[in-house]
Structures are given as structure tokens and as C-alpha cells.
Amino acid sequence: MNIIKTDNRQQLYEQAATLIAAQIIAKPDSVIGFATGSTPEGIYQNLVERYKNNFLDFSAITSFNLDEYYGLAGSHPQSYRYYMQEKLFGQVNINAEKIHIPDGSRKDAGAACQDYEKQMAQAGGIDFQLLGIGRNGHIGFNEPAEFFPGDTHLVDLTEDTLQANQRFFASREEMPTQALSMGIKSIMKARKIVLVAFGEDKREAIEGMVNGPITPQLPASVLQLHPDVTIIYCPV
Ligand code: GLP
């Protein structure tokens, strides 16, 4: 694992955006896995600036997002599809037909997950996966569990995640309790992984991920087994 500590969040955004930009410049038709949450927002802003300054061309990339709330239509302001449209996709020249996000509005969650895995395989797999991390060590929405989930699947969100994310919803009742998420196998198949995190409340998860035992109780610890992981962490 390559670990980069930054002094401030701006540096984190800059460094992560540089890695994504380098990937797209080296391989314009890259398949990029994007993440949501508050951490990547500044990274996306940075990428949008690079695009507006003509330093970056998204037209040939294919994108796959990690996860989506189950039961939310893509038009819901708290859906991850909406987030991605607002923060990145709507502001750059990505081809809308090449955007993939698990379909949280589909009744048959199993079929939605299977289709998602097929689409990732058809695209040739993910070249570069951006990840955040939950306070409890989740990646995507792979929550602490007895085993590592494999493929894209329907997840019951844990109490810790519900508490952490309810700030985005008007009320707890409005917040979905389930999500569709790439599994650990889907994530580990990515050729390159960059995980970003900031803040004191992520310190324990980061410490466990890097130095602790590899255990599904801290899903991100599995990344110790991946050959190309960069972690960018800003403690403040
Ligand atoms: C969310 C997302 C994850 C994200 C994590 C951290 O629940 N499903 O993909 O990495 O939690 O979010 P934040 O960056 O807001 O702390």
C-alpha cells in the first residue's frame, strides 16, 4: 500500500484529482469507478476545473459507480446518480451512454445487481477505482460482516452508516435502509485503487485498514491484498 498523508484537504483533492487525470490522459478510454460521499466532492470540483481549462477530456471514458441507495429513483436529490450528475457528470463532456450506476429504483434488486456485474465485465473491468471509507471501515456499502461479499449485491445498512449518512436526508424515515453495492470481489478486480479519507473520525478505520488483520469486520482491510492501492489521508 502506498500511503500519502496530506496537511490539508485541498492537497488531498489535488493529489487524488491528479491521479485520476493521469489515468485518463494515459488511457483516454479508461473505465473509471467513482465514489460518492462528502470526501470526493472536492476531487470532482478539481476535475471539473481541469476540464474547463481544457486539460482533461472525459469523452471516451466509461464510468461505474460503487453503490446506490435502494428504493431511490435517480431523480431523488439524495440518490448517488443525482450526486454524480451535479458534482461531475453534468459539468464535463462524459458520454451519458457510458455512465453506469446501480439501479436502485428497480424492483428486482438481484437482477439489477447481476446486470451491473455483466456490464462491468463487458466494459473490460475497472482500470481505476476511487474509494472513500466509512467510519466503520466500509468500502462502497460493504458493511462489517462475517464474510466478504463477492459481487454487486443488496445490502442492509448498519446503524452506524444510517447515523453517519442521515444528515443528508430531511428525516431518518426518508432515508433508505438498504443499498445496492459493488461487492468486495468487484472492487478488488479493479486494476488500480485510490482510497481517500479525511478527518479524525476516520483515523481508526484507516489504522485498522493499513495495520490491522485482514477481516470482514473491517471490510477495507482486504485492500492489503491488492497489488496497487494508494491511500490519501488528511488527518484534519
Ligand atoms: C458512504 C458511501 C461510501 C463512502 C462513505 C464515506 O456511505 N457509500 O462509498 O465512501 O460512506 O462517506 P463520506 O466521504 O461522506 O465520509
Side-chain angles (χ1 to χ4, degrees):
M1 283 176 157
N2 174 25
I3 301 161
I4 301 170
K5 262 200 181 171
T6 67
D7 296 330
N8 57 59
R9 294 182 185 188
Q10 222 47 47
Q11 279 175 14
L12 178 151
Y13 302 146
E14 177 72 24
Q15 297 214 19
T18 298
L19 292 176
I20 296 170
Q23 171 72 39
I24 296 175
I25 290 164
K27 187 179 179 214
D29 62 346
S30 287
V31 180
I32 310 273
F34 287 110
T36 49
S38 49
T39 318
E41 281 188 34
I43 300 171
Y44 296 150
Q45 233 171 48
N46 187 300
L47 289 174
V48 168
E49 276 162 33
R50 290 174 198 240
Y51 166 71
K52 287 187 174 156
N53 291 324
N54 288 322
F55 292 136
L56 209 47
D57 176 9
F58 290 82
S59 63
I61 74 159
T62 297
S63 76
F64 284 91
N65 261 77
L66 274 172
D67 47 15
E68 177 62 284
Y69 286 112
Y70 182 59
L72 284 195
S75 55
H76 190 289
Q78 294 311 328
S79 73
Y80 287 160
R81 179 172 281 278
Y82 193 94
Y83 168 110
M84 288 306 299
Q85 195 58 30
E86 288 283 295
K87 316 274 183 221
L88 182 65
F89 297 156
Q91 301 194 61
V92 298
N93 64 338
I94 189 168
N95 178 346
E97 285 173 11
K98 293 185 173 176
I99 294 172
H100 304 86
I101 299 181
D103 187 354
S105 64
R106 204 160 141 190
K107 264 231 164 76
D108 188 344
C113 293
Q114 274 179 15
D115 286 351
Y116 205 60
E117 285 292 329
K118 265 190 226 150
Q119 288 170 331
M120 283 191 280
Q122 276 163 7
I126 292 175
D127 292 307
F128 182 113
Q129 178 67 55
L130 180 67
L131 291 179
I133 185 170
R135 298 188 304 203
N136 61 5
H138 75 219
I139 46 176
F141 266 134
N142 292 282
E143 299 281 34
E146 296 304 312
F147 60 92
F148 288 114
D151 293 338
T152 303
H153 60 294
L154 180 66
V155 182
D156 290 326
L157 300 175
T158 62
E159 184 53 34
D160 191 68
T161 298
L162 292 169
Q163 274 179 22
N165 288 4
Q166 79 176 76
R167 67 187 191 277
F168 298 112
F169 292 86
S171 68
R172 176 75 179 252
E173 291 65 49
E174 207 193 291
M175 186 182 175
T177 55
Q178 291 180 304
L180 303 181
S181 176
M182 280 190 203
I184 293 295
K185 197 167 87 189
S186 337
I187 293 170
M188 290 293 278
K189 281 195 280 194
R191 290 181 264 281
K192 185 178 187 66
I193 295 177
V194 173
L195 183 145
V196 291
F198 56 63
E200 179 56 34
D201 60 342
K202 300 281 175 76
R203 184 188 294 276
E204 224 175 283
I206 299 281
E207 172 63 23
M209 164 178 67
V210 175
N211 294 318
I214 298 169
T215 164
Q217 294 298 338
L218 200 152
S221 62
V222 77
L223 298 177
Q224 291 176 32
L225 299 173
H226 193 282
D228 190 349
V229 178
T230 298
I231 294 157
I232 310 179
Y233 178 53
C234 173
V236 288

